[in-house]
Amino acid sequence: MKFFIDTANLEDIAEAQALGVLDGVTTNPSLMAKEGITGEDNIINHYKKICDIVEGDVSAEVISTDFEGMVKEGEALAALHPQIVVKLPLIADGIKACKYFSDKGIRTNVTLVFSAGQALLAAKAGATYVSPFLGRLDDISTDGLNLIAEIRQIYDNYGFNTQILAASIRHTMHVIDCAKIGSDVMTGPLSSIKGLLKHPLTDIGLAKFLEDYKKGNS
Ligand code: E4P
């Protein structure tokens, strides 16, 4: 299972990268705005900085909602760095653009996916990644994990190569449950990755080992 971090915060990205388990980064316009990154030039520079920190895929989202605009923006983003994956919204023009990029060998992440039917369309259009938003479904009392399981079954039935990128992850249990279902990738905040480290018995056990070492060597 690949671990992506879902943020535009360079410190968090660097911390996850230093941990040695990071496979990539996802961003979106809201995450950029949260970091105060506004304006085309600043956003482009920020993507370059992210690519300098991580070794894996970096999703960069288009703002256009029409096919021509998405193609223009996506081509410019893909040309920025080999690690860039063009992130497209799941609307009709986004699917058309996904097929266009797929035919050209440019990698895509189809985002804002909330149903199995949408995920099937993204796979048919040759998406590299599909991003079902599990946390946002949970927020409205709908089982987000069930969507991940449905997509897994559909993709396995037909051998689609599109990777399931479980997005809108909120906590460590989402990560673990997605791993159990067989999601190819998860993207979440730094806390969802670091949370996996925690177990009180690890802390207690380590303290005891160190205490016993000191006793034996004093
Ligand atoms: C996915 O790529 C999105 O950036 C993200 O996971 C959305 O998460 P949120 O629902 O926490 O905003």
Side-chain angles (χ1 to χ4, degrees), residues 4-72:
F4 287 0
I5 190 167
D6 193 32
T7 185
N9 182 285
L10 299 181
E11 287 75 30
D12 282 3
I13 293 169
E15 188 174 340
Q17 174 66 28
L19 197 55
V21 297
L22 192 65
D23 300 296
V25 177
T26 51
T27 61
N28 63 41
S30 305
L31 292 170
M32 283 286 186
K34 190 176 165 195
E35 299 305 319
I37 313 298
T38 54
E40 203 181 324
D41 290 349
N42 290 333
I43 290 172
I44 295 292
N45 280 336
H46 206 71
Y47 284 136
K48 288 182 187 161
K49 285 182 192 168
I50 293 173
C51 290
D52 285 345
I53 299 172
V54 298
E55 284 163 19
D57 291 348
V58 176
S59 287
E61 189 158 342
V62 300
I63 305 302
S64 304
T65 53
D66 63 297
F67 173 76
E68 287 75 18
M70 287 184 195
V71 164
K72 194 175 166 205

Side-chain angles (χ1 to χ4, degrees), residues 6 26-28 31 87 109 111 131 133 136 167-170 187:
D6 193 32
T26 51
T27 61
N28 63 41
L31 292 170
K87 201 171 177 189
N109 173 0
T111 190
S131 289
F133 278 31
R136 290 194 195 183
S168 189
I169 292 264
R170 298 284 160 77
T187 190

Side-chain angles (χ1 to χ4, degrees), residues 147-210:
L147 173 60
I148 308 289
E150 282 184 319
I151 300 171
R152 179 73 285 153
Q153 184 186 347
I154 291 169
Y155 283 11
D156 287 351
N157 282 348
Y158 297 99
F160 284 120
N161 290 325
T162 301
Q163 296 178 55
I164 303 173
L165 197 174
S168 189
I169 292 264
R170 298 284 160 77
H171 47 70
T172 55
M173 281 313 295
H174 274 160
V175 179
I176 293 162
D177 286 333
C178 284
K180 282 157 80 175
I181 291 168
S183 187
D184 300 290
V185 192
M186 79 85 195
T187 190
L190 182 61
S191 59
S192 68
I193 299 173
K194 285 174 70 182
L196 297 170
L197 289 165
K198 292 180 190 164
H199 200 289
L201 291 179
T202 303
D203 299 335
I204 292 167
L206 181 60
K208 178 79 174 123
F209 286 156
L210 296 179

